[in-house]
Every structure is written in C-alpha cells, then in structure tokens.
Amino acid sequence: MTKILVFLYYYLIFDKNVSQQMEIVTDNLENEAPIRPLFDAQRQHARIVALTKAPERIGKLKKIQAYLLKNRTGLTTALYTDFRKPPAETELTELFATNNELNVAIQQLKQWMKPHPVPTPLAMLGTSGYVRYEPKGVTLIIAPWNYPFYLIIKPLISALAAGNTAILKPSELTPATTAFIREMIRSLFAEEEVAVVEGDATVAQKLLELPFDHIFFTGSTAVGKQVLAAAARNLTSVTLELGGKSPCLVDETADIEATARRIAWGKWVNSGQTCVAPDYVLVQRLVKDRLVEAIRKAVQRMYNADGKGVQASESYARIINNRHFDRLKALLDDAREKGCTVSMGAQTDPADRFIEPTLLENVSINMGVMQEEIFGPLLPIIPYDTREEVLRYLTGRDKPLVMYLFSQTASATDHWLDRTSAGNTVINDTLIHFAHTELPVGGVNQSGIGKSNGFYGFQEFSNARGVVHRQFGVLDLIYPPYSDKVKRLINFFVKYL
C-alpha cells in the first residue's frame, strides 16, 4: 500500500506558463542549430524509423531509462542549480514520473502497435476492419521551464514509441537542465533521429515555420494560440497542453484536515509553479475558517517543521527568475491595495526569489490574482453560500485544465460533474490524475487540445489508419445501371441496414 501511495503522489504535475518563454528575445543565439538541414535529415530518416518494430522502439526507451538511473544525481543537481528545486522533489516529480511513463510504454508498446480490430456493421457484411497506428513522421516538442525535464521527455517517450523522429526545444530559462538534456540526447541518439535545438523565442519561431508532421507544445494559452496559428499554415496536427485557473471546490461535508493537506501539497509543490496547481479555492462558508486554519497547520508541518521559517526549508523551491518574481509580487501588491486580507504568508525576498506560501481572503474579481493564472505560491480563498452561486462563477470562466472537488457525498460530486466542464477532475485530492496512465490527461478549449499519458500519448503521435478488408459481399449487386431491381435493393438497404 505504501508503494501505491508513493506512486500516486509522485507523478503529478505539470505545466506550463511559457508565455514569457516565447516573448523574451535575446541576442544570444550561439547555440542555434542549422535548423532546416536538421529538419530535412530527420524527414529523410523518418522513413526508416517508421519501419521499426516494437523490440527496436522498446530498446530506445530502455536506453533512456538506463541513462536516467545512472545519472540521477546530475538531474537533481541541474534542477537545484536552475531554481533550487529540492532534490527529493526532483526525484519525485521529474525522474520518478518519467521513469513510470517509460515503464508503461516498455510494458505495453507491443499491444499498442498491434492492429486494433473493430466490429463489423451489418451493412459491411463480408468485410473485416481494424485500426492501424502508424507514425506521423517528424515531430517537434516545445517544453516549458517549470518541469523542464519531465515535460520534454514524457512526450519524447510517446513520440519514440509511435515510431517518429523528434526535435526537442527545451526552455532557455533552465540552462543547467537543458545542458543535462542535451548531453543525454547526444549520447543516446543520432541527430537525424532525436536532436536538441537550443535558443530563445526567435529559435522557436523558426522551428514553427517548418512543416512538421506533429507539434507537441506545453505552455500558456496565449502562446498556445501562436503555436496553433503557425501549425495551421502547414496543416500540422498539434497537442497543446496549456494552463488556466484550476479551481478547488470544498463543500461542507469534506474531510477538512485531509483536504487542507492535499490542497497545500498540490499548491506549494514547486513553489506553486505548476499548471495543474489549485489556482483558487471555493469553500462553503460554514467550513471556511476551519479550512484556512488547517491549511496554515499543513504548511507549517511541510515547510517549517523545525521552526526556522519557510525560507530556511530545504523542501521549498524558489521562483524561476526575477521576472516571474516581480510578476507575482505585483499580483500580491495589487490584491492588497484593492482590499484583500492576508491570512497566511506574504513574506518575500527578491534577493532569494522567495515568496512564502500565501493565503488571500476577501478577494474580488477586479484583482489580478482572479484575472490571470497565478502560477506561483499565492492562493485566494473564496467562501460561497449556495451551489447556484458557485455555478454562476464557474460558468462565466474558461474551462479549466483540471477541477478539484472535495466532498464526502457522491450526489454532490455528480452534481458538479454534470454541470461543469474541465480537462480532468480529481475528487478528494490534487494532482494525482497525472499518475493514472490509463486515463487521458489534458485540457479542453482554452486549457488544451489533445491528450497525453500512456496509450493516449502514443495515440497523439500516431495516425489512426482505418483499414477495411473485403472478403466477400453483395455490394456489387447495387452497381449501375440502376434498374428497378437495384432500386428495390437500395431501398431495402436504406430501410433495414
């Protein structure tokens, strides 16, 4: 049971706020690769890779796995260097998560690659049909900075399992992790099969001009729209794992202590820089004060157990850079100026890029924290009185990447599931849907296009090719000329088949 619980709590996490990543333009293009020749080489080689069978593809995945297990200290060091991510948290949310995706693909790829038979409708009597998954070809994977290893290698696993070549564009905001990725890929693959292209937004834009067969982008909704527009020019298929304001809904029946622990963990892992982190909490007014107090205690247990303060904790990451720190500090200042109440936290240290876990009450819709995805350690708490009040609030917003429901009654969770929409939903926990490799994970509308995880990731990088095989039949009886006999037969088909 302990292993199962650990497995569920690792696999999290994701996201994304990559808008800044695509907006920043620098003059440092020393690492820019000759992109077009690289693309052409991969296009040529894709024909060979497409013919590989399951054992060859599994062998590639096992090479990645062996490299990770051998170099795990290098990965934790890189993430600590980039934004002081605790090594244990890196093991949990980057290495363990990646390794599990590898295990699923290695174990199930042979089954995924087999023809998938489909039933034969009566009108298709005399035929058999199946779906054959074939590789799309040359793929592009653009990853963000917040989980800079997992969010680039996870889609790579799916791309390789499906028999594609891949060009990887990691974030320039995490140089140490990008260097680790570059060395790993160079040691395992020839460039015509998998290659890393480094650089800033100008490099990403040049990549997006090329006619890739599929693009997998993880990042903000704003930049996702730019990627989609670029892909449309080449009619390239896309997977967009985007962001949004994911709500927590806590009703009066919820187990408050457990709810507080799970919200605290989901919100403040990676210092809140997780696209599926709870962005705000809607809580029944009857239990609001109890929940706030329980969250305070949960944060102290997690990040201040020794009483030295959260800033001294080795379990709490830092904000990625000064730009993001300034953005979050401005959101906090704006909320305070407009009348919010700080119920916990709000201590900041720009020199250390530290922002304490913070609870905000008495927030209003005109505050920045309620207008944009926070993507940091600020958590608004909003009390409600009636379900109708909640529905009016939720239905007036974009569909979120994930919705978290905390309740002890099935009728309540069914009520919200029936009346709301989200990419995924988790009941009585946070983040753990990423551990469920049998479920599709992704957004809806503004929060994403397409799904990933296990087979669903393999499917995203594949063309589902329908195949019909005629063995015998009577369809030739309805060929022209359309005599009265043929017309009667067609009429029979229309009425009864």
Side-chain angles (χ1 to χ4, degrees), residues 18-59:
V18 191
S19 56
Q20 292 83 357
Q21 174 179 327
M22 293 284 285
E23 292 165 358
I24 297 172
V25 178
T26 71
D27 295 326
N28 180 18
L29 298 180
E30 294 178 358
N31 292 321
E32 183 180 343
I35 293 173
R36 184 73 210 204
L38 177 61
F39 175 84
D40 290 339
Q42 288 212 355
R43 171 169 277 182
Q44 185 70 24
H45 191 63
R47 303 169 188 172
I48 299 171
V49 176
L51 297 176
T52 56
K53 304 302 181 185
E56 295 170 83
R57 299 182 192 181
I58 290 171

Side-chain angles (χ1 to χ4, degrees), residues 25-304:
V25 178
T26 71
D27 295 326
N28 180 18
L29 298 180
E30 294 178 358
N31 292 321
E32 183 180 343
I35 293 173
R36 184 73 210 204
L38 177 61
F39 175 84
D40 290 339
Q42 288 212 355
R43 171 169 277 182
Q44 185 70 24
H45 191 63
R47 303 169 188 172
I48 299 171
V49 176
L51 297 176
T52 56
K53 304 302 181 185
E56 295 170 83
R57 299 182 192 181
I58 290 171
K60 297 172 188 177
L61 301 181
K62 287 183 175 179
K63 285 199 305 181
I64 295 175
Q65 189 172 55
Y67 187 96
L68 288 182
L69 295 178
K70 181 179 179 181
N71 295 279
R72 57 196 297 178
T73 300
L75 180 61
T76 59
T77 301
L79 267 293
Y80 191 87
T81 300
D82 282 331
F83 56 110
R84 226 182 92 178
K85 185 164 178 140
E89 199 164 281
T90 293
E91 295 252 342
L92 190 68
T93 64
E94 304 270 3
L95 192 148
F96 192 12
T98 303
N99 193 49
N100 195 67
E101 187 76 14
L102 283 164
N103 283 333
V104 170
I106 289 168
Q107 293 163 11
Q108 300 185 23
L109 182 57
K110 288 182 181 179
Q111 187 63 38
W112 297 347
M113 289 181 65
K114 288 180 180 179
H116 293 231
V118 297
T120 301
L122 186 57
M124 291 289 103
L125 186 67
T127 71
S128 62
Y130 61 91
V131 176
R132 170 191 175 96
Y133 288 99
E134 61 185 19
K136 288 187 173 180
V138 186
T139 66
L140 171 64
I141 299 170
I142 301 177
W145 52 262
N146 61 320
Y147 293 91
F149 184 80
Y150 172 54
L151 291 178
I152 204 166
I153 301 302
K154 178 186 176 184
L156 175 63
I157 292 164
S158 297
L160 294 176
N164 301 284
T165 63
I167 292 177
L168 312 182
K169 167 59 178 74
S171 173
E172 72 276 17
L173 302 184
T174 50
T177 306
T178 293
F180 181 90
I181 294 167
R182 180 183 65 239
E183 293 307 311
M184 183 184 84
I185 296 301
R186 284 180 179 175
S187 70
L188 298 179
F189 298 99
E191 275 201 333
E192 62 266 25
E193 185 163 1
V194 183
V196 175
V197 173
E198 297 178 61
D200 57 19
T202 58
V203 173
Q205 289 160 2
K206 289 181 180 180
L207 286 166
L208 290 170
E209 292 171 1
L210 298 172
F212 284 93
D213 297 299
H214 189 75
I215 297 172
F216 193 109
F217 169 79
T218 304
S220 73
T221 298
V223 181
K225 291 178 181 179
Q226 298 175 32
V227 173
L228 186 59
R233 290 193 285 270
N234 293 307
L235 294 179
T236 298
S237 61
V238 298
T239 305
L240 303 178
E241 295 199 345
L242 307 177
K245 295 185 74 63
S246 296
C248 270
L249 178 56
V250 182
D251 76 10
E252 67 276 13
T253 72
D255 180 333
I256 296 301
E257 297 300 321
T259 297
R261 290 194 302 273
R262 293 163 187 173
I263 290 175
W265 178 73
K267 178 62 180 179
W268 288 295
V269 69
N270 210 39
S271 198
Q273 299 166 115
T274 303
C275 75
V276 290
D279 205 78
Y280 61 98
V281 177
L282 293 165
V283 55
Q284 224 292 332
R285 194 179 301 275
L286 295 172
V287 296
K288 188 266 293 183
D289 290 343
R290 287 175 54 207
L291 180 66
V292 169
E293 183 59 28
I295 290 176
R296 285 197 198 103
K297 291 179 179 177
V299 168
Q300 292 301 306
R301 284 194 297 269
M302 292 178 183
Y303 303 115
N304 192 26

Side-chain angles (χ1 to χ4, degrees), residues 326-343:
D326 292 342
R327 178 185 64 84
L328 289 164
K329 182 64 163 56
L331 286 176
L332 177 58
D333 292 344
D334 171 75
R336 296 173 107 169
E337 289 169 6
K338 292 176 179 175
C340 86
T341 302
V342 175
S343 298

